[in-house]
Amino acid sequence: MSDFLRSAVRFALAVLTAATEGFRVVRREPRAFLVWTLLWMLVLLVVATIMAFGPRVVLGGPAPRGDLLGLVSHFGVRAIVIVPVLVAGWAVTTTAICRAVFDPDHRAIFHLRFGVAELRVALIHTVTALVTPLIVALILGIGAIVARPFFEAAPTMAADIAAAGLLITVCLLVWLYVRLSLIPIETFAEGRIHVSAYWPVTRGHFWYLLWTYLAVLVIAAATSAVLGAPIMLLLQSGTAAIAQPASLLQRAQLLGAAAALSAASAFFFMIPTVLMSAAQAYAYRAIAGGRPGALEAEAIA
């Protein structure tokens, strides 16, 4: 076997190992996975309760954008309560998954905590959600400025120029995402917000991370298609939107339906969450080598 082929096989095995770390976490700790799912069910129930008994019921209908501004615009004033609940739930579960990967033998309270580490990760997620739309808008704006002379010079090739520009923009955004994707993991592992370390940690590991994420997406899609098909049917048939005015009985009925939907949605949501978070934690551990500093500090404390 040639050196190139051996290297390719080792690379593929490394990618596959990282991408399937989530399955090993669930197999090793099924009760922890159940508790994480129940936690997200509780988070979704809190959101459903706020939405059902607010001044205007807006459960159902088009899903909000994934960024923070999209959530605020969708939920309105209630976003003041809902967004922190969602961010806290996300931070607590993702840090628990990281602990399950970094230190699987320490299983107290199913790796769940709510302390300084979770607050740091929540802050990182909040800042990321605020900054990401601005970065995307900036890149699109610069792209439009750069493309304008080409449009003016060759108006008959406008469609081709636009397609090329879109491809370049997507590649640039993917590259930025991969290079900065381990920010929450490094923040948790190092036990501090270490801005100067975020960019260097992924240097030389772009392709390893990119192929790992692509493998996770394929695995998560296949798993969700098999396990989540009944859930998707339930979500599609049970989703409802009630505009004002809504009677108290209507709100109570909607909240009852939301309880069942929250349980289904939490399970459906946790599958890709565990797969991606565990893959990122495993990849960080492989890149950084050794035992992450945050866990050593916790052991000393």
Side-chain angles (χ1 to χ4, degrees):
M1 183 182 295
S2 66
D3 292 340
F4 173 77
L5 187 56
R6 278 196 293 267
S7 298
V9 170
R10 284 197 298 267
F11 180 82
L13 289 175
V15 167
L16 187 60
T17 302
T20 56
E21 175 66 12
F23 289 123
R24 290 188 291 276
V25 169
V26 174
R27 184 184 61 185
R28 187 171 62 242
E29 304 186 43
R31 288 185 295 177
F33 176 77
L34 177 60
V35 170
W36 300 337
T37 304
L38 291 174
L39 175 62
W40 259 104
M41 178 183 171
L42 178 61
V43 169
L44 295 176
L45 272 176
V46 170
V47 173
T49 303
I50 295 171
M51 299 305 293
F53 291 96
R56 181 176 184 273
V57 179
V58 293
L59 287 176
R65 298 200 320 264
D67 59 88
L68 191 60
L69 296 179
L71 293 173
V72 171
S73 64
H74 181 76
F75 293 126
V77 177
R78 283 168 286 187
I80 297 174
V81 178
I82 291 174
V83 171
V85 170
L86 292 173
V87 172
W90 180 255
V92 169
T93 50
T94 53
T95 53
I97 295 168
C98 287
R99 288 191 182 94
V101 175
F102 290 154
D103 193 9
D105 295 328
H106 187 75
R107 302 179 179 180
I109 323 178
F110 306 105
H111 303 286
L112 289 170
R113 298 178 190 173
F114 192 81
V116 177
E118 285 71 21
L119 291 175
R120 290 194 199 98
V121 173
L123 178 61
I124 289 295
H125 284 311
T126 302
V127 172
T128 301
L130 287 171
V131 171
T132 298
L134 301 178
I135 294 176
V136 173
L138 178 62
I139 292 175
L140 292 175
I142 294 175
I145 294 173
V146 172
R148 181 174 298 175
F150 295 95
F151 283 124
E152 294 175 351
T156 58
M157 300 179 61
D160 295 330
I161 295 172
L166 178 62
L167 178 61
I168 293 172
T169 301
V170 170
C171 290
L172 179 59
L173 290 175
V174 169
W175 177 71
L176 284 175
Y177 167 77
V178 172
R179 287 300 310 270
L180 299 174
S181 61
L182 296 183
I183 286 179
I185 309 298
E186 168 129 356
T187 298
F188 169 75
E190 295 301 320
R192 57 174 174 166
I193 296 176
H194 195 191
V195 178
S196 62
Y198 293 146
W199 187 259
V201 72
T202 57
R203 183 180 296 129
H205 303 285
F206 172 82
W207 293 109
Y208 167 60
L209 291 172
L210 176 63
W211 283 108
T212 296
Y213 297 157
L214 290 176
V216 168
L217 291 177
V218 172
I219 294 171
T223 305
S224 299
V226 173
L227 301 179
I231 297 175
M232 287 304 296
L233 292 175
L234 176 62
L235 292 176
Q236 291 174 359
S237 62
T239 301
I242 301 177
Q244 64 179 0
S247 68
L248 184 61
L249 179 59
Q250 285 178 313
R251 295 171 189 268
Q253 290 174 339
L254 185 59
L255 185 58
L261 293 174
S262 295
S265 300
F267 175 77
F268 190 66
F269 173 77
M270 282 306 300
I271 293 173
T273 298
V274 170
L275 288 174
M276 182 59 77
S277 297
Q280 289 180 315
Y282 185 93
Y284 175 81
R285 188 178 65 180
I287 291 171
R291 196 160 171 260
L295 295 174
E296 294 179 359
E298 290 179 3
I300 295 174

